[in-house]
Amino acid sequence: MDKHPKDWRFAQANKEALLTLGAYALYFIWWYVCAYGMGSGDPEQYEYVFGLPEWFFYSCIVGYPLITILLWAVVRFKFKDMPLDEELDEKTGEKR
């Protein structure tokens, strides 16, 4: 069944995986809403930012730095450095 029920590293790894999936989902929603929300109309009606269509500018140019900063913050404040070796039992000195 559950091979490592008390190992804190598995709980941390699961938490980090969920944070990663959440960040990816947020980025995908941002990209999708900007790209298909602003870019679904007639191309002649597009508005432009710095010579780029507004939908492209916000979905690709603005979205990338925002998700990069978000990912940096998530890794910096929520992820933990942890050993990947097997833990030793404190009493016996054997690997768990």
Side-chain angles (χ1 to χ4, degrees):
M1 306 292 179
D2 196 8
K3 293 175 71 176
H4 306 283
K6 295 182 181 178
D7 194 342
W8 65 274
R9 297 175 297 177
F10 286 93
Q12 179 63 26
N14 287 336
K15 178 180 158 187
E16 292 174 2
L18 289 174
L19 286 170
T20 302
L21 290 174
Y24 178 77
L26 183 66
Y27 179 62
F28 180 76
I29 291 168
W30 169 278
W31 181 86
Y32 190 87
V33 167
C34 289
Y36 287 102
M38 294 177 181
S40 62
D42 183 11
E44 293 187 12
Q45 302 297 323
Y46 285 172
E47 294 187 24
Y48 293 87
V49 178
F50 298 119
L52 299 170
E54 185 179 40
W55 67 267
F56 181 81
F57 180 79
Y58 288 113
S59 65
C60 296
I61 305 298
V62 173
Y64 183 73
L66 286 179
I67 194 65
T68 302
I69 292 169
L70 174 71
L71 289 175
W72 174 84
V74 167
V75 169
R76 176 73 172 90
F77 297 113
K78 297 294 183 183
F79 281 37
K80 292 182 180 174
D81 192 21
M82 58 185 158
L84 298 177
D85 299 336
E86 293 183 36
E87 290 186 332
L88 296 177
D89 188 8
E90 293 176 11
K91 295 179 183 173
T92 63
E94 296 178 5
K95 292 182 180 180
R96 291 184 193 177

